[in-house]
Amino acid sequence: MPGSFAKAWAHADGVDGWLTQPQGRALFDAATKVPAGRAAIEVGSHRGKSTILLASGLTDGVTLTAIDPFDDPRWGGGPESLEIFKANLERAGVTDRVELHRGLSKEAASAWSGPPVALAWIDGAHDRDSVLLDIDGWDRHLVDGGTMLLHDAFSAIGTTRAVLRRLWWTRRYRYLGCERTLVAFRKEQRSPLGALTDAIRLSPRLAFFARMVAIKLARRRGHQGLERLFMRGENEPLI
Ligand SMILES: C[S@@+](CC[C@H](N)C(=O)[O-])C[C@H]1O[C@@H](n2cnc3c(N)ncnc32)[C@H](O)[C@@H]1O
């Protein structure tokens, strides 16, 4: 049985990371839908915030494979990262639902011999080529009807470019929706009209993205007034 979201968030909230509570809820809910005999995978675990939320939502017998090299200094990785990750999972009581793959997503996807994947959560490196490798690598293992979730779409430039390239105008995925910069797609065959409808539904996120880039530029150039102006309303921490 999945645990409760409130309990999962109580543990995850204290873990260093970038997820908002509604995004955590979206992960937890997606995990509850993974049926027995299927797998869930996570690219990019950091200290385990999203790992705890996903693992807490899984039904008994379903395993989350958490993939991270735990050594990337850009994300605070280093010698102690893996130990902190394990301790956080232990405290949340989800260790037995998580299988660890210490390494890169690309290698994990090529070597995958687990059950077909019903949920792929992609939150690893945020440059365009890495995200494309993540999408393509796990697309091969994702079942029809499976869910692909990505973080930092429309706030990180590389992630946004990869999402636009593979998932914006496609007949292979249905756009489900966004929770701020967490974007959700379901793998299913789309008619040309369905693909067009999805692309139109996603388009307003480009205005959000433009504002995120404007905030980033204003911050870099030290224009605090402009930064404050653009920061009004919905925004995400910028990467
Ligand atoms: C944004 S953090 C992940 C945050 C995490 N999902 C959370 O909720 O706190 C990105 C992580 O991706 C990892 N990473 C970077 N490139 C990767 C790759 N190619 N494959 C797997 N993990 C990667 C980094 O080591 C880092 O821990």
Side-chain angles (χ1 to χ4, degrees):
M1 285 283 288
S4 81
F5 173 69
K7 190 168 157 235
W9 184 254
H11 285 291
D13 196 22
V15 173
D16 179 41
W18 296 266
L19 290 173
T20 64
Q21 186 178 14
Q23 290 176 339
R25 174 99 229 185
L27 291 182
F28 179 92
D29 288 347
T32 62
K33 298 187 182 107
V34 178
R38 301 282 192 239
I41 67 98
E42 167 181 80
V43 175
S45 304
H46 186 52
R47 302 287 155 93
K49 197 177 192 105
S50 52
T51 323
I52 291 169
L53 291 155
L54 288 166
S56 302
L58 294 174
T59 43
D60 291 340
V62 178
T63 299
L64 169 70
T65 299
I67 304 152
D68 198 308
F70 294 101
D71 64 358
D72 190 336
R74 285 174 301 175
W75 306 99
E80 78 296 352
S81 299
L82 182 56
E83 291 318 309
I84 297 173
F85 169 80
K86 284 182 179 168
N88 286 335
L89 264 55
E90 195 64 40
R91 257 193 300 279
V94 296
T95 301
D96 59 349
R97 292 163 177 239
V98 179
E99 218 156 81
L100 177 64
H101 179 104
R102 187 170 190 186
L104 297 174
S105 155
K106 182 181 166 201
E107 296 155 4
S110 323
W112 181 254
S113 59
V117 174
L119 175 61
W121 160 238
I122 295 179
D123 190 20
H126 287 15
D127 60 282
R128 188 195 74 139
D129 290 348
S130 296
V131 182
L132 285 174
L133 280 174
D134 295 340
I135 294 172
D136 294 343
W138 292 102
D139 169 64
R140 288 204 298 277
H141 302 293
L142 194 66
V143 293
D144 286 337
T147 305
M148 185 177 283
L149 303 169
L150 299 101
H151 200 222
D152 297 314
F154 316 111
S155 62
I157 292 171
T159 307
T160 306
R161 288 178 67 201
V163 167
L164 292 177
R165 180 87 184 260
R166 284 290 186 276
L167 299 165
W168 181 42
W169 192 288
T170 176
R171 292 187 55 194
R172 301 188 57 245
Y173 280 85
R174 176 192 284 269
Y175 168 55
L176 297 177
C178 279
E179 177 47 58
R180 294 167 78 99
T181 62
L182 187 157
V183 64
F185 296 90
R186 183 163 62 230
K187 189 170 176 180
E188 74 178 54
Q189 206 53 45
R190 306 289 282 139
S191 66
L193 185 60
L196 176 65
T197 310
D198 283 351
I200 292 170
R201 284 178 58 227
L202 252 173
S203 296
R205 301 314 287 168
L206 296 179
F208 176 83
F209 176 56
R211 195 151 61 83
M212 294 298 105
V213 173
I215 294 170
K216 202 177 237 181
L217 286 177
R219 187 172 296 167
R220 258 198 212 147
R221 304 248 160 104
H223 295 309
Q224 289 177 358
L226 271 182
E227 186 186 332
R228 271 198 300 279
L229 182 71
F230 291 131
M231 288 281 281
R232 283 200 195 137
E234 191 189 24
N235 61 67
E236 279 286 285
L238 286 169
I239 296 182

